[in-house]
Amino acid sequence: MSDPSLFDVVRAQRAHRAFRADPVDDELVERVLEAATFAPSAENLQPWVFVVIRDAELRAGVGELTARAWSGRGREHARTRLSAALFADVDRGASGGVSAAPVVVVVGGDISTCEPTVLQSSIFPAVQNLLLAAQALGLGSALTTLTTTFSEELRTLLYIPEHIRPMAVVPLGWPARALGPPRRAPVADKTHRDRFGTPW
């Protein structure tokens, strides 16, 4: 079977928050991470660091931090902003779906090699590549930064040194259910020609 085209992958990528228990081979995880490392970064410094967690106890620890951040402020903030169906899905994910994935990837940024002011613009393109590569391989994934509310505890749990800033958590696994295509506003609704306010 040929790989799907880039545009097919981009149009199909969704946040998966429920996963089957089936394992994901290291070879697939490495393919996803390799795609992440081909992202652009400030001055090509490549400040990304990946901690791949398979250990059930450590995944549960990450899940506990995620659930605590969600119940602390995230849940009430999201309740008024999301549709009931999306809220229920996010609630299930934040309350246990992340740690239920067979693989959890914590993405960090190395501030010893990259100015903190450009760290996000270097790390999040890598995370996007990771998400798209997972989609291309049939894996489910999602981006959450909720867990980084407790960065110091996450750092302690995973022995992450001080110069690595935890920035994102990505659960990775085989989707528990198929998701339809994402709903997006038409390009013309978000695009202006030459000057803001001139229709595309």
Side-chain angles (χ1 to χ4, degrees):
M1 183 174 88
S2 63
D3 289 339
S5 81
L6 170 65
F7 293 97
D8 291 338
V9 172
V10 168
R11 289 187 187 109
Q13 200 280 322
R14 293 280 306 274
H16 288 266
R17 300 180 183 91
F19 304 91
R20 302 196 317 253
D22 309 48
V24 179
D25 293 340
D26 274 354
E27 179 187 358
L28 287 179
V29 174
E30 189 164 336
R31 285 186 72 188
V32 167
L33 296 178
E34 183 184 33
T37 68
F38 276 85
S41 62
E43 300 177 350
N44 197 30
L45 292 171
Q46 306 170 49
W48 38 73
V49 176
F50 308 102
V51 180
V52 178
I53 310 167
R54 291 186 182 278
D55 179 83
E57 188 174 329
L58 292 176
R59 286 187 289 116
V62 172
E64 189 276 327
L65 294 176
T66 306
R68 189 158 23 119
W70 176 244
S71 62
R73 282 197 342 219
R75 177 181 279 125
E76 289 314 308
H77 177 71
R79 189 185 303 275
T80 59
R81 300 168 60 88
L82 303 179
S83 69
L86 180 56
F87 176 82
D89 187 50
V90 173
D91 189 53
R92 282 190 297 271
S95 302
V98 167
S99 57
V103 177
V104 173
V105 180
V106 175
V107 185
D110 187 343
I111 59 173
S112 73
T113 64
C114 185
E115 283 292 323
T117 54
V118 296
L119 200 58
Q120 288 190 347
S121 63
S122 296
I123 295 302
F124 287 107
V127 174
Q128 178 71 357
N129 275 14
L130 191 161
L131 299 173
L132 292 172
Q135 176 68 35
L137 294 170
L139 293 166
S141 64
L143 163 63
T144 181
T145 57
L146 195 59
T147 321
T148 63
T149 302
F150 298 109
S151 287
E152 291 309 311
E153 290 180 60
L154 187 60
R155 192 191 304 283
T156 299
L157 178 70
L158 303 176
Y159 300 165
I160 297 172
E162 283 296 319
H163 65 281
I164 305 298
R165 181 176 295 173
M167 298 184 69
V169 173
V170 179
L172 193 63
W174 302 107
R177 60 188 175 89
L179 300 178
R183 293 186 298 277
R184 294 292 184 264
V187 170
D189 289 359
K190 301 291 183 178
T191 309
H192 309 263
R193 189 179 298 277
D194 294 326
R195 292 185 175 87
F196 190 91
T198 305
W200 173 252

